[in-house]
């Protein structure tokens, strides 16, 4: 990574080599962990190479998702998120909200395939409604879609868990520190996204593919095509492009890790620009704990805290009051998804929507 020595601003994002973490050489592993710590303290974002997800599988994932998005709107809407009280499925252009404005993207949302718990007993927290089945496109229309997505989800989960374990080590915690929060019941999410070119739709709302935000989970691992547009907000508030590097994943910290480390590892604000003449596709995978997980707050070792303090405070376009920092993860997950998909909230949870002041 290059850092501007006056402002300690990163000018580009670091590239970490996953094969070092996976090797049996303890020096290679500790080299990876110390680079990881620096990346998380300096920018909160990095590229990961040699992650082991075959390029050919990534290419075919992008092929099937492109095929889905070229289907007519009424076919895509057969699996509209509005039909799912569990917030799964297709969201058409302009329906998703970030920073209180409509994003310029369409997407599919997935989470673990589970039985619905509805109707919930009165004593259950409302976030238990997030458990449920996914909605899949007709296999005949997009052959290989479901298998490709499930295979990718499993692979991304493995890599993300190994990175979480390395993050624990970077904080001098046990490599197994996070294990309990994940596993069978973890509530990971996956989005398959298409950003139209500016010329296709005319730019509305905040004029961005997705507005400035911090991700809600522990860790995000993103794959993107060659178009570009993802930008990261630096400490001083300017925007740095995460230019696509073929075959790499872009990884960043989510808000639960920010809470856990009492803001030593800060969840970096990011946004996506709308390209003037090219559509763009991306696949972010969000590693999230199980909904009942309690996110602790830990004291990081003093020398790491000192390193963090060398920096200025982070500037962010995301107001502090909007952060998802409750102790129980499910409450954060519920608040995050319901404010992005207000239409779904109003349709399935009118009382809750009214209570929160959304009129529909
Ligand atoms: O598409 C991208 O590059 C980023 C998407 C993103 O930040 C998100 O969905 O949380
Ligand atoms: Fe994001």
């Amino acid at each position: 990574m290059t850092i501007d020595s006056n402002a300690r601003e990163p000018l580009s994002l670091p590239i970490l080599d996953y094969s070092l973490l996976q090797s049996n050489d303890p020096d290679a592993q500790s080299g990876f962990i110390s680079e990881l710590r620096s990346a998380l303290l300096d920018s909160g974002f990095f590229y990961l190479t040699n992650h082991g997800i075959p390029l050919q599988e990534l290419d075919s994932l992008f092929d099937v998702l492109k095929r889905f998005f070229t289907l007519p709107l009424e076919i895509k809407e057969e699996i509209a998120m509005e039909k799912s009280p569990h917030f799964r499925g297709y969201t058409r252009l302009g329906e998703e909200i970030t920073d209180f404005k409509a994003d310029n993207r369409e997407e599919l949302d997935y989470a673990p395939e589970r039985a619905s718990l509805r109707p919930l007993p009165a004593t259950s927290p409302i976030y238990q409604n997030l458990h449920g089945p996914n909605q899949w496109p007709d296999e005949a229309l997009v052959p290989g879609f479901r298998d490709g997505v499930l295979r990718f989800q499993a692979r991304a989960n493995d890599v993300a868990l190994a990175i979480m374990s390395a993050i624990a080590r970077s904080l001098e915690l046990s490599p197994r520190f996070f294990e309990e929060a994940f596993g069978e019941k973890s509530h990971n999410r996956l989005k398959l996204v298409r950003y139209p070119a500016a010329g296709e739709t005319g730019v509305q709302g905040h004029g961005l593919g997705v507005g400035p935000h911090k991700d809600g989970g522990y860790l995000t691992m993103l794959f993107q095509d060659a178009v570009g547009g993802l930008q990261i907000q630096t400490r001083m508030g300017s925007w740095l492009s995460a230019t696509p590097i073929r075959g790499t994943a872009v990884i960043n910290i989510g808000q639960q890790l920010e809470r856990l480390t009492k803001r030593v590892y800060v969840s970096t604000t990011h946004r996506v620009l709308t390209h003037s003449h090219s559509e763009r596709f991306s696949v972010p995978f969000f590693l999230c704990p199980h909904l009942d997980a309690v996110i602790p707050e830990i004291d990081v070792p003093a020398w790491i805290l000192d390193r963090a303090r060398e920096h200025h405070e982070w500037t962010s376009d995301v107001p502090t009051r909007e952060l998802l920092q409750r102790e129980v993860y499910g409450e954060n997950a519920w608040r995050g998804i319901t404010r992005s998909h207000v239409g779904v909230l109003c349709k399935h949870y009118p009382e809750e929507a009214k209570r929160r002041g959304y009129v529909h």
Side-chain angles (χ1 to χ4, degrees), residues 137-149:
D138 186 341
E139 177 67 18
L141 294 175
V142 202
F145 184 94
R146 186 185 173 129
D147 283 355
V149 169

Side-chain angles (χ1 to χ4, degrees), residues 153-211:
Q153 240 172 349
R155 287 199 187 272
N157 182 54
D158 288 349
V159 178
L161 285 178
I163 299 291
M164 273 318 294
S165 168
I167 289 178
R169 290 171 69 184
S170 81
L171 295 166
E172 297 188 341
L173 299 168
S174 150
R176 305 183 65 177
F177 181 82
F178 292 108
E179 264 176 25
E180 203 195 305
F182 297 102
E184 291 285 282
K185 290 199 309 181
S186 61
H187 197 76
N188 298 332
R189 292 186 46 225
L190 177 73
K191 280 179 194 271
L192 309 173
V193 191
R194 186 181 88 95
Y195 298 90
E200 183 185 322
T201 52
V203 180
Q204 293 147 3
H206 39 43
L208 297 166
V210 61

Side-chain angles (χ1 to χ4, degrees), residues 140-359:
L141 294 175
V142 202
F145 184 94
R146 186 185 173 129
D147 283 355
V149 169
L150 290 175
R151 192 180 319 116
F152 171 77
Q153 240 172 349
R155 287 199 187 272
N157 182 54
D158 288 349
V159 178
L161 285 178
I163 299 291
M164 273 318 294
S165 168
I167 289 178
R169 290 171 69 184
S170 81
L171 295 166
E172 297 188 341
L173 299 168
S174 150
R176 305 183 65 177
F177 181 82
F178 292 108
E179 264 176 25
E180 203 195 305
F182 297 102
E184 291 285 282
K185 290 199 309 181
S186 61
H187 197 76
N188 298 332
R189 292 186 46 225
L190 177 73
K191 280 179 194 271
L192 309 173
V193 191
R194 186 181 88 95
Y195 298 90
E200 183 185 322
T201 52
V203 180
Q204 293 147 3
H206 39 43
L208 297 166
V210 61
H213 68 280
K214 295 178 173 215
D215 292 339
Y218 260 112
L219 198 73
T220 306
M221 185 162 147
L222 171 108
F223 291 86
Q224 56 176 333
D225 66 13
V227 173
L230 173 60
Q231 290 193 321
I232 282 127
Q233 192 164 32
T234 64
R235 287 173 180 280
M236 310 291 279
S238 56
W239 293 94
L240 176 69
S241 291
T243 309
I245 305 178
R246 181 153 163 79
T248 61
V250 179
I251 296 194
N252 67 280
I253 303 174
Q255 295 182 53
Q256 308 317 307
L257 198 52
E258 174 163 334
R259 175 190 153 85
L260 180 112
T261 60
K262 297 189 194 158
R263 309 205 73 221
V264 171
Y265 286 168
V266 175
S267 174
T268 311
T269 304
H270 53 287
R271 67 181 186 184
V272 176
L273 302 184
T274 298
H275 195 279
S276 54
H277 55 271
S278 224
E279 62 180 353
R280 171 176 183 261
F281 295 90
S282 75
V283 181
F285 171 82
F286 305 92
L287 183 77
C288 304
H290 60 81
L291 292 172
D292 295 318
V294 170
I295 315 292
E297 288 180 296
I298 61 154
D299 289 315
V300 306
W303 69 275
I304 301 178
L305 195 59
D306 284 348
R307 282 233 17 219
R309 283 198 186 123
E310 284 168 18
H311 296 301
H312 302 268
E313 267 296 294
W314 282 91
T315 306
S316 173
D317 281 9
V318 179
T320 311
R321 67 175 179 280
E322 298 304 325
L323 298 182
L324 304 172
Q325 297 286 286
R326 298 264 178 89
E327 189 175 29
V328 177
Y329 174 65
E331 292 178 13
N332 294 326
W334 177 257
R335 183 159 165 236
I337 201 149
T338 52
R339 72 184 176 196
S340 297
H341 297 277
V342 173
V344 185
L345 180 72
C346 291
K347 175 150 184 231
H348 295 280
Y349 305 93
E351 289 303 311
E352 163 87 349
K354 210 187 303 164
R355 197 181 60 71
R356 286 172 42 188
Y358 294 119
V359 264

